[in-house]
Amino acid sequence: MPDVPASAVAASTLLPVNATLAAVLVALLLVAAAVAAVFRLAPDASWRRARDIVVAGVRAALQLAVVSLVIGWVVGHGAALLGFVLLMFAVAARTAGRRITPGRGWAWAALPIAVPVAPVVGTLVGCGLVPVQGIALIPITGILIGGALTATVLAGRRALDELTARRGEVEACLAIGLLPHEARLEIARPAASDALLPGLDQTRTVGLVTLPGAFVGMLLGGASPVMAGAVQLFVLVALLAVQAIAVATTVELVARGHLRRPPAGA
């Protein structure tokens, strides 16, 4: 029996890109939007979340189509590679900032993403674990930026929500002599720490409940199960480090008043 190339096996295992796939994707997107609309899954009980789901799905399709066309060229050009990484960071920073606050201080959300991702990626490149090649650097950096983005948004929103709901306790802390930074930190930190739960749960249940993308992708690419497991473990542990630093940085920015919401009616 002739040997079959790993790439051919992977291609035959993946989803076929055809009209059936497009129809199923549209149906799933409409189901998600319909559920959000019927059950009013939005803070103001409006249909806004249903619209957000549809827009997110359409944007994802368009963005992935564009990336699919340019990624082959980007990975072979050093300047383009750096520019693509910076673009990922800029989009993540703006997304995180606007999710946390509509005020001018949204740009501070770039800090919790840059502070953990830059040194982690630099260390991985410096140690030779990740080569300075687009085919390796872009996905690893993207995963870490995405993890920092999620942790920053969750920590920032939870911290600000807690400070709003427990304003009286903040004032009580000030009354007993705590500095404003210390008072806000005392109230916001426990709630913001919940942002670490998704990453913790994913790491705890990996291989038992879920088989993450890096693991499956390595297997489909022809890697051995041991190598695929090692790469996935590396990704999960790096994500834990990045997200922990992102949450700590976000809480500090909230406590110092850099990330804040404008007063009602402002």
Side-chain angles (χ1 to χ4, degrees), residues 67 70-86 88 121 125 129-143:
V67 169
V70 304
I71 196 70
W73 179 79
V74 167
V75 297
H77 298 76
L81 172 61
L82 178 59
F84 193 82
V85 171
L86 291 176
M88 289 193 296
V121 172
V125 171
L129 292 174
V130 176
V132 188
Q133 298 174 357
I135 200 63
L137 188 61
I138 287 178
I140 292 297
T141 306
I143 289 172

Side-chain angles (χ1 to χ4, degrees), residues 171-215:
E171 294 175 354
C173 289
L174 295 174
I176 62 175
L178 291 181
L179 298 174
H181 163 258
E182 296 172 335
R184 288 191 288 264
L185 195 62
E186 192 71 24
I187 301 302
R189 182 164 46 197
S193 66
D194 285 350
L196 295 174
L197 293 180
L200 286 171
D201 289 342
Q202 182 184 25
T203 305
R204 286 175 178 147
T205 61
V206 65
L208 299 176
V209 177
T210 59
L211 293 176
F215 181 81

Side-chain angles (χ1 to χ4, degrees), residues 42-84:
D44 53 0
S46 69
W47 288 37
R48 180 165 54 89
R49 196 65 77 206
R51 182 199 62 195
D52 292 343
I53 289 174
V54 173
V55 171
V58 173
R59 280 189 57 174
L62 295 175
Q63 289 164 191
L64 286 173
V66 173
V67 169
S68 299
L69 293 174
V70 304
I71 196 70
W73 179 79
V74 167
V75 297
H77 298 76
L81 172 61
L82 178 59
F84 193 82

